[in-house]
Amino acid sequence: MYALANIALMLWNMGIAAGMMLGAMLLLRPVLLRLLTARQRTWLGMLGWYGTGMINVFGVLGWVHILPVTFRDLITPRTTGRTANELPAYLPVDYRGTGEYVMALPGGKAVWVELTDWMVLAVTLVWLAGIAALSIWMWRRSRRLKALGRQGELLDPKDSGLKWLQEDRDTAVRLCRGLPTSFVYQGGEKIDGKRYDMIYLQAELSPQRRELVLRHEWNHLRMRHSWMKSWANLVLVAWWWNPILWAAYYYFCRDMELACDEKTLRDLEKGEQRKQYAQTLVELASGKMLWGEPLAFGECGAVARVKAAVAWHKPQWWVKLGKWCAFVLLFLFFVGGPRNIPFLPEDVVWKWQQADIEVELSGDWTPVERWMRVEQDGDMALLAKDITGKWHKMSYWCSAWDGTFLRMSDWETMLGTPDLTGAQEGLW
């Protein structure tokens, strides 16, 4: 029970961290639209989807601490483990049964909450039920769409209009009637014992429109967008309870479509073809969102995509250089873990109370006041005032993550009155 609760709390901490990172990118989006290309915004978004969805990747990226202040510095009140590069721990990280626990807010503020076994179990079951329901819903939608596409005619790459696909031996195309939109599936079908990336095209398209749509969908495969969307989709399902992720997922898919539009427009040699591409977007873009794996030509942000296609022009070299410089700075801002392991004094006190250590007194003095203070390095200082007014001090080394305490010194008589700022009375 407790092991399951701690795994759930760790995963929820991951979901909160992902929401904060992707939420910050949403707040910066008006600036990012000017500073970065759509493809660069897509890569930056993957820092949130992949960088927080994989703990080991999050840890590796944490070592890239070049800027004086990073985003992780600002959002990490403590970590889930023993190193600074581990995930931020907003929720308790060591559940041991019903009792009071410390929640940590960005900035280091501690909030005490009462947790019970039934409360943690109920929230965990609701979370798992949401994952199951959402997975089944998306799987059924994806299955129906793929089944509709498989009814289409398999085209020969040598057909007119598909000559530039002949060198791609891993992609196949089907021409389908009745499709609501053209779409792509990475690894969509197994044909003659070989797995192919599939492009499903609407049979009603004219030859010119068909070639433009086909270029767009093929560029999705070349830019690995199917893999990106699939991973973001898994993260979204796992942390469905975070509304920030739903908004971030929508704009992430829009950036992928805009990036694919930019790539397709660059591939088109004639200005007339680019005008036809923009017109095709107007005619076929539905603006509907496919909340699953397929990437569809008419999906997501039709108005923004048409405007971008009409205004597109080949950028000058100095504009490209400026955008790459901005991307590197933003990348460095969103990576880089805290330089030191953040800890909360409340965590140390809580661990001390859980350990129930019996403090031994030495000498011929009797304490009339007992104080406890957590030092800046996380160590524990026990302070005592005897009947004569003298102060005494003993230090413990504290491992705030596994609850072990090691006595570092015996009782020492102090020369003056200690600073009791932040100290608590009567905890030992």
Side-chain angles (χ1 to χ4, degrees):
M1 164 66 184
Y2 296 158
L4 176 62
N6 283 311
I7 292 174
L9 288 167
M10 181 190 68
L11 293 175
W12 297 342
N13 277 315
M14 292 171 62
I16 295 173
M20 287 194 172
M21 184 172 292
L22 291 168
M25 294 179 187
L26 286 178
L27 292 176
L28 291 174
R29 186 169 180 82
V31 178
L32 298 182
L33 288 172
R34 295 179 176 273
L35 293 180
L36 305 180
T37 65
R39 192 172 190 179
Q40 290 168 341
R41 293 197 301 273
T42 302
W43 291 341
L44 194 65
M46 283 303 292
L47 279 179
W49 295 109
Y50 192 67
T52 55
M54 294 286 287
I55 298 178
N56 56 341
V57 175
F58 190 90
V60 170
L61 292 175
W63 290 104
V64 190
H65 200 303
I66 297 176
L67 299 182
V69 178
T70 67
F71 183 71
R72 294 197 200 178
D73 286 327
L74 303 177
I75 68 168
T76 308
R78 62 182 175 188
T79 59
T80 56
R82 305 185 185 189
T83 66
N85 295 325
E86 298 192 47
L87 286 166
Y90 310 100
L91 304 177
V93 294
D94 189 13
Y95 183 76
R96 300 184 182 184
T98 299
E100 283 193 329
Y101 293 86
V102 181
M103 289 184 60
L105 303 180
K109 181 176 177 56
V111 178
W112 288 91
V113 294
E114 179 76 21
L115 297 180
T116 65
D117 291 344
W118 285 108
M119 181 190 304
V120 174
L121 179 61
V123 174
T124 302
L125 291 177
V126 170
W127 170 54
L128 294 176
I131 292 177
L134 195 57
S135 298
I136 293 173
W137 176 71
M138 289 186 174
W139 174 76
R140 293 182 64 181
R141 281 172 54 92
S142 177
R143 185 183 180 187
R144 285 197 299 265
L145 193 59
K146 189 184 294 187
L148 184 61
R150 285 177 174 174
Q151 297 175 7
E153 174 190 0
L154 186 64
L155 299 185
D156 189 335
K158 297 180 181 180
D159 289 349
S160 177
L162 302 178
K163 294 180 180 179
W164 47 277
L165 263 178
Q166 292 182 22
E167 297 180 359
D168 188 347
R169 302 181 181 274
D170 298 321
T171 303
V173 181
R174 285 190 183 275
L175 200 60
C176 314
R177 294 191 178 277
L179 282 185
T181 182
S182 300
F183 61 95
V184 63
Y185 250 111
Q186 188 168 357
E189 288 189 35
K190 197 173 186 179
I191 303 174
D192 297 331
K194 181 180 178 180
R195 179 69 62 179
Y196 285 87
D197 298 330
M198 297 301 301
I199 299 175
Y200 301 101
L201 294 177
Q202 296 164 289
E204 295 79 10
L205 295 174
S206 65
Q208 289 180 332
R209 296 284 189 269
R210 183 186 304 173
E211 181 179 355
L212 293 173
V213 175
L214 183 58
R215 282 183 178 273
H216 176 95
E217 298 301 340
W218 188 53
N219 281 331
H220 273 311
L221 294 173
R222 294 171 65 190
M223 299 170 75
R224 302 294 186 268
H225 284 172
S226 291
W227 172 81
M228 292 181 182
K229 186 174 181 181
S230 297
W231 178 258
N233 189 255
L234 289 174
V235 175
L236 181 69
V237 170
W239 300 322
W240 56 266
W241 43 266
N242 193 332
I244 297 175
L245 297 186
W246 290 88
Y249 183 81
Y250 175 83
Y251 285 105
F252 178 67
C253 292
R254 175 183 287 190
D255 283 337
M256 282 193 293
E257 293 298 335
L258 288 168
C260 198
D261 291 339
E262 291 177 356
K263 173 63 176 173
T264 305
L265 289 167
R266 284 198 303 269
D267 292 341
L268 296 176
E269 298 177 357
K270 300 179 182 179
E272 184 63 29
Q273 287 181 310
R274 294 170 185 149
K275 292 180 181 178
Q276 291 178 1
Y277 185 81
Q279 187 176 356
T280 303
L281 279 175
V282 174
E283 295 176 358
L284 299 181
S286 64
K288 294 181 180 179
M289 184 74 181
L290 292 181
W291 297 94
E293 182 181 350
L295 286 157
F297 179 80
E299 180 188 11
C300 194
V303 175
R305 291 176 60 193
V306 171
K307 289 182 178 179
V310 172
W312 184 87
H313 61 277
K314 188 174 181 179
Q316 297 181 345
W317 69 268
W318 57 271
V319 175
K320 291 183 180 180
L321 179 61
K323 289 183 179 294
W324 276 111
C325 290
F327 173 77
V328 170
L329 286 175
L330 285 165
F331 177 87
L332 294 176
F333 175 68
F334 280 106
V335 300
R339 296 190 184 277
N340 300 309
I341 301 177
F343 75 94
L344 295 178
E346 290 81 359
D347 278 326
V348 180
V349 173
W350 184 81
K351 292 291 185 181
W352 175 270
Q353 293 174 325
Q354 295 293 315
D356 194 22
I357 297 175
E358 183 176 350
V359 179
E360 297 181 359
L361 300 177
S362 61
D364 55 357
W365 56 274
T366 301
V368 293
E369 292 185 24
R370 300 168 184 249
W371 294 80
M372 176 184 293
R373 184 181 65 203
V374 180
E375 308 289 3
Q376 291 184 353
D377 56 3
D379 288 350
M380 180 75 71
L382 303 185
L383 304 170
K385 181 180 180 181
D386 62 23
I387 56 177
T388 66
K390 293 182 179 180
W391 285 89
H392 307 267
K393 179 181 179 181
M394 175 189 284
S395 297
Y396 278 84
W397 173 82
C398 170
S399 174
W401 308 115
D402 58 16
T404 60
F405 290 85
L406 177 65
R407 191 172 69 181
M408 301 298 294
S409 68
D410 293 326
W411 286 104
E412 300 174 355
T413 301
M414 305 179 68
L415 297 178
T417 302
D419 181 10
L420 299 178
T421 302
Q424 300 184 58
E425 187 176 7
L427 294 182
W428 61 275

